[in-house]
Amino acid sequence: MMEQGLGHLRICALCAVVLGLLFACTAADLPMCKGSDYHFEYTECDVLGSRWRVAIPNKAETCTGLPDPVKGTQCTFSCSEGEFLDMQSQQCQKCAAGTFSLGTSIAFEEWDSLPTGFITHGVTTNEGNAFINCSNSTWTPKGEYVASNTDECTATLSYAVSLKKPGALSFEYFYPDSSIYFEFFVQNDQCQSTDSESRWMRISESSWSHYKVELSKGNNVLYWRTTTYALLGSAVKPVLLRNIQVSGVAYTSECFHCKPGTHSSKEGSAHCTPCPADTYSNKGATVCHECESDKYAVPGSGSCKPRPACRNNDYFYTHTPCDSEGKTQLMYKWIEPKICSEIIEGAVKLPASGEKQTCPPCNPGFFVTNSSACEPCSKDSYSDGKVCKKCPVGTEAVLGFEYKWWNTMPKNMESSVFHQEFSNSDQRTAWEVAGEYIYTAPGVQDTDYLTLTLNVPGYRAQSMANSEMNELSRITFVFETICTADCRFYFLVGYSKWNNYLVEQWKGRNRKQSYSYMIQSNHTVSFTWTFQRTEEFNMDTNFSTDAAKIYSIHITNVIGGVASQCLRCAVTSDKADSSCVPCPPGHYMVNTTGECENCPPNTYIRTSQPVGKTACVQCGPNTKRNKAYTACLSDCTFRVQTGGEAVQTYDFSPLSNVTGFTSSPRFTNRGLRYFHHFNLNLCGTESRVPATCVDNVTESGKVVKGYVCQSTVVPSDIRSQSMVSSQPFIIGDSLIGVTTETTLGGMSSPAWMFPSPQLPDVIFYYKSSDTTQACKQGRSATVRLRCNPTANVKDHIMLPSKCSEGTCDGCTFHFLWESQHACPLCTTDHYREIVSACIQGIQRTTYVWQQPLQCYGGVSLPTQKVSACVSLDFWLKFGVSIGLITAVLLASLICYFWKKTRKLQYKYSRLMMSSGGKECELPTADSCAIMEGEDAEDDLMDLTHKSFFTKIKSFSRERTSDGFDSVPLKSSSRHQQYEEEEEEED
């Protein structure tokens, strides 16, 4: 390898000689080069870590006689801070006064123009309008910083640097507006992104934020990229960058001049020092110059400005702490740093201070000491601001903070001013106490952000919170804004005063009003109020009289808080340090006695009012209370009685999992697309998984959980993540009821939103207690479940056609869910049977569904039945056979009785003949009865006057006791008598 390296050196030297000879032949008439006509650069390092120093002309073909290449320093060579590499001597030298050097680092602090190496360009987002011209949507230098674009193009600022050893990048940024997506990432020369925890920058609402990242050895390309999504079409604030510094470079060949407003008084400086107030300096200054008496300068100024005449807006008033006599003094102070002049004609004087006033009372939970100071009561005591009192037995101190008197700034609150244009100003606090309220004092500029921050250590266990809604605490404040310009008032919450997210904002003048916010996370420990008079920058303070006032702040359930009252033990309290015994679940405390009473069946406990029977809230239709008695749930079943006595049963269990769906695309003013994404948890018991919406844009990571929630989703090709979700909020965190009625509990699901089908829809009603300025009663949602047996996709959810965002007023949301599982369970009433004809002794019974089909699941359709049968031909043959047999039997009986009749007639004739012709005499019978064994044809019957059936009856007479049939002979007597009567007539 050593030989290979030496071979490369010989080739390079030979090439240099040849090129020198050729150049000498072609430029023999050019003048000799001076030191100002060229500069030195190093060649690339070879495999041995060596390089050559070569002279490069500043302009081609202007002179001749460049110095020959010489062996350069080793590639690992570097200079220390405050030094630069002199290429002529190849030795490190100290920077002169008025300049600075970072040694192996480079810094960019001046942004009058883009420094060499920085590239910016704007492109159209893939989701946007392709005809929009984004060529001018770039990062713009603004003197002390560089600002991003504010339109809906993607603006990129990049810088390529080659590091000879591992280094680092640091910069400061101001990222005030969540409507802009701001990302920073690093790529190598192969366009491969380096590993980092997060490429998305967090919101910095109140101050410049500092960012630092490690860089690897080799080529690194740094990217700052922004894309604006102005969903409401309002103006947005740009992202600002400054003080970019990169370490790990091999050397710097020059020192940088100190920017205006800074100076370095000695050689070898690594940094420039800002000039103090009322002094200024030019570029490359070694000292700062005093301003004239009638001029002023803020710290770090490059020039002085004339002092304006003092006005009433240049001072403010405050109160001193209470003295031993219970008095406070009203003090007037100039706004610092003071820039106005009192000696100019028309200037106002500072009012006299020292007027004594009676101190306002202490805040609730505090008491007045002998020195008239306010001290907190013990944890088992309460007060109205005067004297502490012990809580009665069986009660509990309601701990929190309530500020309604403002004599001094509370210890856990602080205020500050952020100057968007001048960051080095030593500004005083921005909010001042004024007895009955705290207000924003005038600032140096109208664009200043005046912040007030309240920090709390944490929250107690959920003793007085609804565990179903995850309410740990609640903060309520009363405020007012008095504005003549386009002022802004912001309320932010977060993990610290520098890491927070915007909750609500108000614009312009707002009357005195109250706002409440529910705290669900134990990590939320800071609350910030920020006031800005105007966004339009102007050095004059034209709107200094515009102010924001906060009259009271009340936050509950805080660790280390004080109490203004004592209440009976919370129903769901499980704290070990509680001195009172809570009621068991499902009980409430009687107001007068404090005893525990049972709540009515199927009710839950209103934890915000655990005392009195009104604490028991009846569950809505088709819901049941949970085991903790804190909310009402649905087990995903529903029963309804239709016309008549039929009862239809629904089973929504297949729809109980969390389901996500997206609205139709929405577009900003510039054509960029975004969506509203909803997550829905329809029903379930305590073990159900709630619907969750998150913010994965900022580091705050806001998470909301409940039955229904919404977030804003932007196209994934703009960002590296699979889905970009922001601005989450809860729509429904409690279930009110399940019914087929279109109104319930003050909520309505109008039929015109979704035309009603034949079967009535089953409607789920949800409510959220999270109030906003627009939705003072909280948000609500209705989910219509519509039977559609042909729907194959279970999450076919639609929004109203007339309200494409799911809501028409921004507070009440409506959804339609068509599914097979939204149909009632099938029963035996939903199918009918069809019986076929008997064919060859086989009969089939088939079952079919009633049409149109209005059920799903439940009872299955029975299979076809096959049974044996007898056909019509068999019964015909059987009937003919029976008829023939009956006819034969009748004929036989007729013949039999006919013969018997003939025999009786014969015997009668014999009797008549044997009488000898004597009238009224018959031959004496040998016996009055037929002897046994005698033929029955000897019986005597009157065949002349009796019918056929009478004759038959005569043969059925009973026998006598001696075994003979008695035969009446009255017939013969009658016949004889008849003949005698005829003779007499003759």
Side-chain angles (χ1 to χ4, degrees), residues 89 180 212 261 389 411 526 562 660 848 963:
S89 63
I180 296 181
K212 185 176 182 179
K389 299 178 182 179
K411 295 180 180 180
S526 72
V562 295
V848 296

Side-chain angles (χ1 to χ4, degrees), residues 404-594:
K404 62 180 182 180
W405 299 107
W406 303 92
N407 186 58
T408 58
M409 182 73 71
K411 295 180 180 180
N412 58 347
M413 298 182 69
E414 59 180 343
S415 67
S416 60
V417 177
F418 171 71
H419 303 274
Q420 184 170 340
E421 298 294 329
F422 303 101
S423 62
N424 296 322
S425 177
D426 53 349
Q427 179 65 28
R428 82 288 174 266
T429 57
W431 291 72
E432 296 292 344
V433 294
E436 295 182 353
Y437 55 84
I438 184 172
Y439 73 103
T440 54
V444 175
Q445 300 170 11
D446 290 336
T447 55
D448 290 345
Y449 290 94
L450 311 177
T451 64
L452 176 68
T453 303
L454 168 64
N455 296 302
V456 296
Y459 310 94
R460 302 192 305 165
Q462 300 181 24
S463 60
M464 309 184 73
N466 190 333
S467 59
E468 182 70 19
M469 297 167 53
N470 297 322
E471 179 179 338
L472 281 175
S473 176
R474 184 176 291 271
I475 184 170
T476 305
F477 58 93
V478 178
F479 72 97
E480 177 186 16
T481 58
I482 304 172
C483 301
T484 58
D486 55 339
C487 66
R488 300 288 192 274
F489 185 56
Y490 305 94
F491 175 60
L492 307 97
V493 300
Y495 305 117
S496 67
K497 67 176 181 178
W498 303 126
N499 186 6
N500 44 41
Y501 59 90
L502 181 65
V503 173
E504 191 66 84
Q505 63 174 321
W506 296 266
K507 300 179 181 179
R509 185 181 184 92
N510 290 272
R511 60 177 177 80
K512 188 176 180 180
Q513 59 186 278
S514 175
Y515 179 80
S516 181
Y517 175 76
M518 181 176 64
I519 302 163
Q520 297 177 306
S521 172
N522 203 31
H523 298 290
T524 306
V525 294
S526 72
F527 306 90
T528 302
W529 295 265
T530 300
F531 181 72
Q532 185 186 32
R533 292 182 170 87
T534 182
E535 294 181 340
E536 298 296 330
F537 176 72
N538 193 322
M539 288 301 299
D540 298 329
T541 55
N542 298 324
F543 306 106
S544 295
T545 56
D546 293 359
K549 296 181 180 180
I550 297 180
Y551 293 89
S552 65
I553 300 175
H554 185 204
I555 182 170
T556 63
N557 202 37
V558 180
I559 295 176
V562 295
S564 61
Q565 60 178 333
C566 295
L567 294 178
R568 294 283 178 181
C569 191
V571 176
T572 58
S573 176
D574 57 355
K575 297 182 302 176
D577 59 347
S578 179
S579 60
C580 52
V581 179
C583 286
H587 293 69
Y588 67 93
M589 284 188 178
V590 181
N591 293 358
T592 55
T593 64

Side-chain angles (χ1 to χ4, degrees), residues 241-452:
L241 287 179
R242 70 179 185 183
N243 296 338
I244 299 177
Q245 180 176 329
V246 182
S247 63
V249 297
Y251 63 92
T252 177
S253 58
E254 61 177 343
C255 295
F256 300 95
H257 291 282
C258 293
K259 65 180 182 179
T262 63
H263 72 288
S264 64
S265 58
K266 59 182 180 179
E267 295 181 348
S269 297
H271 303 280
C272 295
T273 305
C275 292
D278 295 332
T279 63
Y280 72 98
S281 68
N282 298 318
K283 184 176 181 179
T286 59
V287 295
C288 296
H289 304 283
E290 293 285 343
C291 292
E292 298 177 3
S293 60
D294 59 343
K295 293 184 179 180
Y296 76 99
V298 297
S301 296
S303 61
C304 297
K305 299 177 181 179
R307 292 184 180 272
C310 289
R311 300 175 298 172
N312 292 330
N313 299 335
D314 292 322
Y315 65 86
F316 64 97
Y317 63 94
T318 185
H319 291 79
T320 62
C322 294
D323 57 19
S324 59
E325 299 178 356
K327 299 292 183 179
T328 179
Q329 292 183 355
L330 184 63
M331 305 297 293
Y332 293 91
K333 299 179 181 180
W334 292 111
I335 296 174
E336 296 295 339
K338 181 185 176 185
I339 61 174
C340 66
S341 174
E342 302 177 62
I343 61 175
I344 299 178
E345 184 179 356
V348 299
K349 300 294 183 179
L350 187 67
S353 300
E355 179 184 355
K356 288 192 174 184
Q357 298 177 350
T358 302
C359 285
C362 294
N363 284 308
F366 291 81
F367 69 97
V368 182
T369 64
N370 295 332
S371 61
S372 298
C374 293
E375 294 292 335
C377 296
S378 60
K379 67 176 184 179
D380 57 349
S381 301
Y382 72 100
S383 79
D384 58 356
K386 297 178 181 179
V387 180
C388 295
K389 299 178 182 179
K390 290 287 185 180
C391 290
V393 177
T395 63
E396 181 182 18
V398 183
L399 299 182
F401 288 113
E402 184 177 1
Y403 305 109
K404 62 180 182 180
W405 299 107
W406 303 92
N407 186 58
T408 58
M409 182 73 71
K411 295 180 180 180
N412 58 347
M413 298 182 69
E414 59 180 343
S415 67
S416 60
V417 177
F418 171 71
H419 303 274
Q420 184 170 340
E421 298 294 329
F422 303 101
S423 62
N424 296 322
S425 177
D426 53 349
Q427 179 65 28
R428 82 288 174 266
T429 57
W431 291 72
E432 296 292 344
V433 294
E436 295 182 353
Y437 55 84
I438 184 172
Y439 73 103
T440 54
V444 175
Q445 300 170 11
D446 290 336
T447 55
D448 290 345
Y449 290 94
L450 311 177
T451 64
L452 176 68

Side-chain angles (χ1 to χ4, degrees), residues 195-206:
D195 296 333
S196 61
E197 295 182 359
S198 176
R199 63 192 294 176
W200 308 111
M201 312 305 290
R202 61 181 176 86
I203 295 291
S204 54
E205 190 66 46
S206 302

Side-chain angles (χ1 to χ4, degrees), residues 61-344:
E61 299 181 359
T62 56
C63 64
T64 185
L66 293 173
D68 296 332
V70 298
K71 188 175 180 61
T73 60
Q74 291 295 318
C75 292
T76 58
F77 175 83
S78 62
C79 294
S80 302
E81 290 184 349
E83 297 179 343
F84 73 99
L85 178 63
D86 182 9
M87 296 294 290
Q88 183 68 37
S89 63
Q90 298 194 63
Q91 297 294 326
C92 293
Q93 296 183 7
K94 289 185 177 181
C95 293
T99 63
F100 73 98
S101 168
L102 299 173
T104 59
S105 301
I106 52 177
F108 303 95
E109 297 180 348
E110 295 184 62
W111 296 92
D112 296 325
S113 61
L114 280 182
T116 304
F118 281 87
I119 300 175
T120 179
H121 64 278
V123 296
T124 303
T125 308
N126 292 340
E127 293 292 334
N129 190 341
F131 298 101
I132 296 177
N133 183 9
C134 292
S135 59
N136 295 326
S137 299
T138 58
W139 289 76
T140 306
K142 296 290 187 178
E144 294 190 355
Y145 53 81
V146 58
S148 71
N149 66 319
T150 56
D151 56 18
E152 294 176 352
C153 295
T154 298
T156 303
L157 177 68
S158 62
Y159 179 74
V161 61
S162 179
L163 302 185
K164 302 305 180 183
K165 60 181 180 180
L169 164 73
S170 63
F171 60 87
E172 294 181 354
Y173 70 92
F174 180 58
Y175 178 22
D177 200 328
S178 60
S179 297
I180 296 181
Y181 292 145
F182 175 38
E183 58 180 328
F184 167 76
F185 57 96
V186 182
Q187 291 184 344
N188 57 22
D189 52 3
Q190 301 298 323
C191 295
Q192 297 173 341
S193 297
T194 59
D195 296 333
S196 61
E197 295 182 359
S198 176
R199 63 192 294 176
W200 308 111
M201 312 305 290
R202 61 181 176 86
I203 295 291
S204 54
E205 190 66 46
S206 302
S207 174
W208 286 89
S209 301
H210 185 267
Y211 187 84
K212 185 176 182 179
V213 64
E214 300 296 328
L215 300 179
S216 58
K217 179 181 177 181
N219 293 326
N220 293 268
V221 185
L222 316 177
Y223 290 95
W224 295 267
R225 188 162 65 187
T226 58
T227 301
T228 303
Y229 273 82
L231 302 183
L232 301 178
S234 59
V236 297
K237 304 172 186 176
V239 178
L240 310 181
L241 287 179
R242 70 179 185 183
N243 296 338
I244 299 177
Q245 180 176 329
V246 182
S247 63
V249 297
Y251 63 92
T252 177
S253 58
E254 61 177 343
C255 295
F256 300 95
H257 291 282
C258 293
K259 65 180 182 179
T262 63
H263 72 288
S264 64
S265 58
K266 59 182 180 179
E267 295 181 348
S269 297
H271 303 280
C272 295
T273 305
C275 292
D278 295 332
T279 63
Y280 72 98
S281 68
N282 298 318
K283 184 176 181 179
T286 59
V287 295
C288 296
H289 304 283
E290 293 285 343
C291 292
E292 298 177 3
S293 60
D294 59 343
K295 293 184 179 180
Y296 76 99
V298 297
S301 296
S303 61
C304 297
K305 299 177 181 179
R307 292 184 180 272
C310 289
R311 300 175 298 172
N312 292 330
N313 299 335
D314 292 322
Y315 65 86
F316 64 97
Y317 63 94
T318 185
H319 291 79
T320 62
C322 294
D323 57 19
S324 59
E325 299 178 356
K327 299 292 183 179
T328 179
Q329 292 183 355
L330 184 63
M331 305 297 293
Y332 293 91
K333 299 179 181 180
W334 292 111
I335 296 174
E336 296 295 339
K338 181 185 176 185
I339 61 174
C340 66
S341 174
E342 302 177 62
I343 61 175
I344 299 178

